[in-house]
Amino acid sequence: MAPPSSSSSSLRHLRLSLFIALLITTARPTNGAAPRKTGKGHAHPKPGPPVKKGGGSHPKPGPSVKPKPKPKPGPSFNPKPVPSFNPVPGNPLPGNDIETHFKGSWAIDNHNVGVAAMQFQLMPNNKAVWFDTTSLGPSARELGPPGNCPPSPEMNFKPDCFAHAIAYDVETGHSRTVYLDGEPWCSSGHLWPNGDLVATGGTRGGVRSVRVLSMANPNANFVEKKNILADNRWYSSNQVLEDGSAVVVGGRNSFSYEIVPPNKPEFHPKKFPLRFLQETTVPKRPGPGMYIENNLYPFLFLIPDGNVFLFANDRGILFHPHTGTIVRNFPKLPGGARNYPASGMAAMLPLTITPENIHAEVVVCGGNTQEAYPSVDSKHTKDRVFVPALRDCHRIVLTNHASTWEKEQDMPSGRCMGDLVHLPNGDLIMINGAQKGVAGWENAIDPNLTPVLYTPNKPMGQRFKELAPTTIARMYHSVAALIPDGKILVAGSNPHSKYLLKAEYPTELRVEKFSPPYLDPALAGQRPVIAPTSEKVLKYGKDFKITVKFNGGKVNPQDVKVTLYYPPFTTHGFSMNQRLLILPVKTVTNDLITTTAPPSGKVAPPGYYILFVNFRGIPAKGIWVHVD
């Protein structure tokens, strides 16, 4: 046989190169959570090398914690794409997302706001409202104006000249005091569809109260209706439903739930029993004053079929909110307790809106062992032991009846009392909390100062990235929240029953903002801008248009991700009602995006959302829109 000619050999090499290139192109991954055919397996590659801890600049450290040493500076910008997997049609490719070595930055937004942040809600007027208690003594700020000292029902009707709630402007850092009646200590809440804040329960005289704060009135105070709720709601959780009503679930010694209707401060309550809450209480019969529970502030998530996922202690159920029927019992989650006082974190991963079944998945991380609370709390022991917090995470697909818990990558460090917050581009951030102990007065040490970026669809071993640490301990009674400019507002931390400003972990009155990696100054020129002319009233299932100025050159639809964020009510490490929706991008032409609103209230409860447009992973400043 004659040897092949050089021209035919070159042709074969060219065909082989083209075939390999085609394989690489068609295997290119995308961002977003893809629906899985079964509940088993994420098809994870082998874990990669651990991520090294990073540092970051920060204002002058607070008195309680020494700052970590800064790492040597490195390049802040790297346009090289990092591959992911799980393709979803219509979603941007993470290979297109711009990667950066920037680990974020911290800044003090207010040096002394005067009121500790125990319960928190961002309202659609860009006012962050937070409040603590009315029965545990004075705050560090007078109610105002001078001489305004109304009698306090929670303090034997003695005059109380101090503020227990504020409305904080997230753009300017200015705040005003808000009058609050009753006792909202360890209460819950949500937004009504009209944007008003509704706070439910508490303790003492407020245990069955409903409080409403108007969004429309810039000088509004809380209006309280006492004894409206059907059961005592102390340490309960809320979840908004498809019609704008909300289930209020659980509470200390309250093994039930009820429904609060929308836009009505007075109603006829109806209680639904839930034996599941009693079954998950530890111990079954605690001694006088010796509370443990491990199932308070249960995790609640509305899934796309209208049912509600409830997780308490170490297991979950799916129930129909209008009948109380339990639709499914989920297997026990191993490892420890995840709810108060062990206080792990939980979030529903971003919901990608598709014409077919919408994939809904929940992740649960951290917490502590079942014995961690009695090992440290003064009611139970004199020999206090601060048990290290858990590092493990687990995920489960709620929309697949055959699904089971799947082991997620471990966090870089243990964390309890942390906050798990969505970011506009589909990532999440873990922030605040402690590495030892549990929730409760003086029950934790070793604050976890290092935020962690969580990208749930990267390969196993590459999903967590440690970011720049803070220098301020944020443990018991601290909060974190995404705000429209894409930063994280961080406030609170009071592990004491009173305001103590001189202690190892003092009552924290400074407010910080954390800029995530996508706010790298080197990327500022590529950040899009949403025009005021964009549509702001979205109708279920209808197309709408967003006017956007892109600064990064020519834009393809796969470079763009449009997200809707429901602002949660946050307390004790759980962001109630938090959800991020990824909308389908239909067209991108001449700086005009056409997309489609969510299909129903089961996917997106009616109300106000923050709309973000992301270009290659970099979000524009969000705008408020209303979905109905």
Side-chain angles (χ1 to χ4, degrees):
M1 180 180 294
S5 67
S6 61
S7 60
S8 62
S9 176
S10 299
L11 182 59
R12 282 195 299 272
H13 280 90
L14 177 61
R15 288 173 176 170
L16 179 60
S17 299
L18 289 172
F19 177 71
I20 293 172
L22 179 62
L23 287 177
I24 294 173
T25 302
T26 56
R28 192 177 191 181
T30 63
N31 202 5
R36 295 204 302 268
K37 293 182 179 179
T38 71
K40 303 214 174 194
H42 285 281
H44 307 311
K46 294 181 179 179
V51 182
K52 295 182 178 179
K53 292 185 178 181
S57 61
H58 193 277
K60 187 178 179 180
S64 60
V65 182
K66 294 182 180 180
K68 293 185 178 181
K70 298 180 181 179
K72 294 181 180 180
S76 64
F77 174 66
N78 176 16
K80 183 180 178 181
V82 174
S84 181
F85 68 104
N86 284 350
V88 177
N91 281 347
L93 307 172
N96 287 353
D97 286 358
I98 297 174
E99 286 287 319
T100 173
H101 293 307
F102 181 64
K103 293 183 180 295
S105 62
W106 290 88
I108 298 290
D109 199 55
N110 190 303
H111 286 273
N112 187 345
V113 76
V115 176
M118 183 187 295
Q119 290 96 189
F120 176 102
Q121 175 72 63
L122 175 65
M123 297 182 70
N125 54 12
N126 277 340
K127 301 299 187 291
V129 176
W130 66 74
F131 48 96
D132 58 356
T133 71
T134 60
S135 63
L136 297 179
S139 67
R141 181 170 179 174
E142 291 187 357
L143 180 61
N148 184 16
C149 302
S152 171
E154 306 304 324
M155 307 214 27
N156 297 320
F157 292 95
K158 293 180 180 178
D160 186 0
C161 306
F162 292 90
H164 304 288
I166 63 167
Y168 185 91
D169 190 310
V170 300
E171 296 179 316
T172 66
H174 298 151
S175 62
R176 69 175 181 91
T177 60
V178 177
Y179 177 68
L180 179 67
D181 195 7
E183 175 52 281
W185 178 15
C186 299
S187 55
S188 55
H190 60 280
L191 289 178
W192 271 341
N194 65 5
D196 290 353
L197 166 58
V198 186
T200 49
T203 189
R204 303 194 185 208
V207 73
R208 292 176 55 205
S209 292
V210 172
R211 306 167 197 86
V212 179
L213 183 69
S214 170
M215 179 191 72
N217 181 355
N219 298 309
N221 291 311
F222 276 100
V223 176
E224 182 180 37
K225 300 294 183 181
K226 291 183 179 294
N227 299 317
I228 295 295
L229 299 174
D231 206 345
N232 296 340
R233 302 297 175 194
W234 191 23
Y235 299 94
S236 59
S237 294
N238 297 18
Q239 173 59 59
V240 180
L241 304 177
E242 61 181 299
D243 63 352
S245 62
V247 289
V248 184
V249 180
R252 178 161 281 167
N253 296 323
S254 299
F255 310 121
S256 66
Y257 77 93
E258 58 191 282
I259 297 178
V260 174
N263 308 325
K264 293 171 59 177
E266 296 188 61
F267 52 90
H268 296 291
K270 181 181 179 181
K271 182 167 66 174
F272 296 81
L274 264 182
R275 286 185 55 194
F276 171 77
L277 292 172
Q278 192 162 15
E279 293 168 356
T280 52
T281 296
V282 177
K284 300 301 180 187
R285 291 186 175 87
M290 299 175 67
Y291 301 120
I292 298 178
E293 279 97 352
N294 280 348
N295 67 348
L296 298 180
Y297 281 125
F299 303 143
L300 296 175
F301 301 99
L302 176 70
I303 69 170
D305 66 3
N307 290 312
V308 174
F309 177 65
L310 162 62
F311 186 95
N313 194 344
D314 58 4
R315 71 202 79 166
I317 60 171
L318 204 61
F319 72 95
H320 191 290
H322 295 290
T323 66
T325 304
I326 295 180
V327 178
R328 183 184 172 193
N329 285 282
F330 289 85
K332 182 177 179 180
L333 178 62
R338 313 292 173 166
N339 299 90
Y340 182 93
S343 299
M345 304 173 291
M348 187 160 63
L349 300 184
L351 295 173
T352 299
I353 308 302
T354 62
E356 302 172 354
N357 294 332
I358 297 174
H359 177 91
E361 186 172 5
V362 160
V363 63
V364 177
C365 294
N368 216 316
T369 66
Q370 296 284 355
E371 299 76 28
Y373 181 80
S375 296
V376 71
D377 190 78
S378 58
K379 296 186 186 70
H380 297 266
T381 181
K382 294 182 180 179
D383 300 319
R384 309 180 78 200
V385 175
F386 295 87
V387 178
L390 301 175
R391 293 180 54 200
D392 63 330
C393 294
H394 296 79
R395 291 161 63 163
I396 195 163
V397 180
L398 303 179
T399 45
N400 182 352
H401 190 76
S403 61
T404 59
W405 288 103
E406 297 178 13
K407 183 73 171 63
E408 173 60 290
Q409 178 182 336
D410 283 347
M411 297 183 292
S413 56
R415 194 182 300 259
C416 66
M417 297 185 291
D419 291 280
L420 183 55
V421 180
H422 279 288
L423 297 178
N425 60 4
D427 292 340
L428 296 93
I429 191 169
M430 299 170 172
I431 199 166
N432 296 341
Q435 298 185 72
K436 292 179 181 177
V438 296
W441 306 133
E442 289 91 25
N443 280 349
I445 57 174
D446 196 3
N448 197 323
L449 304 173
T450 304
V452 173
L453 186 69
Y454 174 42
T455 306
N457 294 308
K458 280 190 173 182
M460 185 75 88
Q462 301 177 28
R463 294 178 181 172
F464 294 123
K465 177 182 179 182
E466 291 189 295
L467 303 176
T470 181
T471 59
I472 299 176
R474 305 280 186 181
M475 298 194 293
Y476 193 40
H477 294 153
S478 60
V479 299
L482 175 66
I483 57 178
D485 64 4
K487 295 179 181 179
I488 304 297
L489 186 75
V490 182
S493 190
N494 186 15
H496 318 289
S497 60
K498 308 287 184 181
Y499 277 54
L500 292 182
L501 303 181
K502 293 183 179 180
E504 183 178 7
Y505 302 116
T507 304
E508 187 53 65
L509 300 174
R510 288 172 289 181
V511 180
E512 293 176 288
K513 285 182 178 176
F514 178 69
S515 296
Y518 51 62
L519 294 180
D520 184 348
L523 303 179
Q526 309 224 24
R527 195 175 190 193
V529 178
I530 303 175
T533 54
S534 299
E535 294 185 48
K536 297 182 179 65
V537 178
L538 314 184
K539 298 297 182 180
Y540 288 122
K542 302 296 184 182
D543 288 356
F544 68 98
K545 297 184 184 301
I546 311 166
T547 306
V548 183
K549 180 181 179 182
F550 291 101
N551 300 313
K554 183 179 179 181
V555 178
N556 298 313
Q558 62 265 31
D559 294 327
V560 177
K561 179 188 287 185
V562 178
T563 56
L564 284 176
Y565 180 71
Y566 192 101
F569 183 97
T570 300
T571 186
H572 290 73
F574 181 44
S575 295
M576 305 173 193
N577 306 298
Q578 178 179 231
R579 64 207 294 118
L580 187 82
L581 309 172
I582 302 174
L583 304 184
V585 176
K586 302 184 79 171
T587 60
V588 180
T589 56
N590 299 324
D591 294 342
L592 195 67
I593 298 173
T594 302
T595 181
T596 306
S600 71
K602 294 178 181 179
V603 177
Y608 285 92
Y609 290 72
I610 307 174
L611 182 143
F612 293 98
V613 173
N614 301 269
F615 169 69
R616 299 184 65 191
I618 305 169
K621 181 179 179 180
I623 63 170
W624 287 99
V625 299
H626 193 275
V627 177
D628 57 38

